[in-house]
Amino acid sequence: MRETHKSNFMKTRIISAILVMGFSGIVAQVLLLRELLITFQGNELSIGIILANWLILEAIGAFFLGKKIEHTKYKVEMFVFVQLIFTLCFPVAIYFSRTLKSFMGATPGEALGILPMLFSSFFVIFFVSITHGALFTFGCSLYNALNKTSEGASSIGRVYIYETVGTLIGGIAFTYLLIP
């Protein structure tokens, strides 16, 4: 009985962490997108460049960092560590997005070209996107280990649903509570 209670408590904590992961991911993405749009004097091309960089970096994080979780016995500690790195890198990325033009030597009001936009947005969102991509893989591994099932696809689907619910909550909260 006690073991079941402990297992349910741990499962609730993992699901909560996955919901927060979705929430924080959408808030980070939208806020960094808005900040970089101000820096780049936003248009559709800059939005496409920023989002392409975000998706590429998330995929790299999910593939390369996510593979590390398979070989460690400290899965929960690694998940917490990557979440902490994500949390610490987010304000740094906001700072760099706001001071980007001064780092690049651009004058106020000067628009950046396509290549400077591509490389600078890649640099600004690098650690935030990489760590967020890895968190999904870590979350899948933790959830699968907690349920002790061999149905990997089923647990990945559940983690994806929980992250999507967190993303929806984050999008609504960001739009109606945090932006105004």
Side-chain angles (χ1 to χ4, degrees), residues 11 140-156 158:
K11 186 175 181 178
C140 290
S141 181
L142 281 175
Y143 190 83
N144 196 31
L146 186 66
N147 288 327
K148 296 177 180 73
T149 64
S150 60
E151 298 178 22
S154 176
S155 66
I156 291 170
R158 287 196 177 110

Side-chain angles (χ1 to χ4, degrees), residues 47-165:
I47 293 171
I49 288 171
I50 297 164
L51 289 177
N53 280 337
W54 184 275
L55 290 173
I56 289 167
L57 290 168
E58 284 240 2
I60 289 169
F63 186 75
F64 291 110
L65 282 181
K67 290 282 186 185
K68 298 287 184 196
I69 191 97
E70 300 298 326
H71 305 294
T72 183
K73 54 185 172 176
Y74 304 109
K75 293 183 188 326
V76 174
E77 290 82 1
M78 284 295 292
F79 183 80
V80 170
F81 178 72
V82 174
Q83 185 76 286
L84 181 64
I85 297 292
F86 172 79
T87 304
L88 295 174
C89 289
F90 180 53
V92 173
I94 291 173
Y95 172 77
F96 281 135
S97 69
R98 291 182 179 180
T99 59
L100 184 63
K101 281 191 173 180
S102 64
F103 284 127
M104 298 180 72
T107 59
E110 180 182 356
L112 298 176
I114 293 173
L115 288 178
M117 265 194 278
L118 178 72
F119 293 121
S120 60
S121 66
F122 188 86
F123 168 73
V124 167
I125 65 175
F126 183 81
F127 289 110
V128 176
S129 300
I130 290 274
T131 54
H132 191 261
L135 284 172
F136 179 76
T137 309
F138 287 160
C140 290
S141 181
L142 281 175
Y143 190 83
N144 196 31
L146 186 66
N147 288 327
K148 296 177 180 73
T149 64
S150 60
E151 298 178 22
S154 176
S155 66
I156 291 170
R158 287 196 177 110
V159 170
Y160 188 74
I161 289 170
Y162 293 136
E163 186 189 23
T164 302
V165 169

Side-chain angles (χ1 to χ4, degrees), residues 26 30-31 41-42 58 90 100 103 105 112 124 153 175-176 179:
I26 194 67
V30 172
L31 190 56
Q41 299 170 349
E58 284 240 2
F90 180 53
L100 184 63
F103 284 127
L112 298 176
V124 167
T175 302
Y176 295 109
I179 288 181

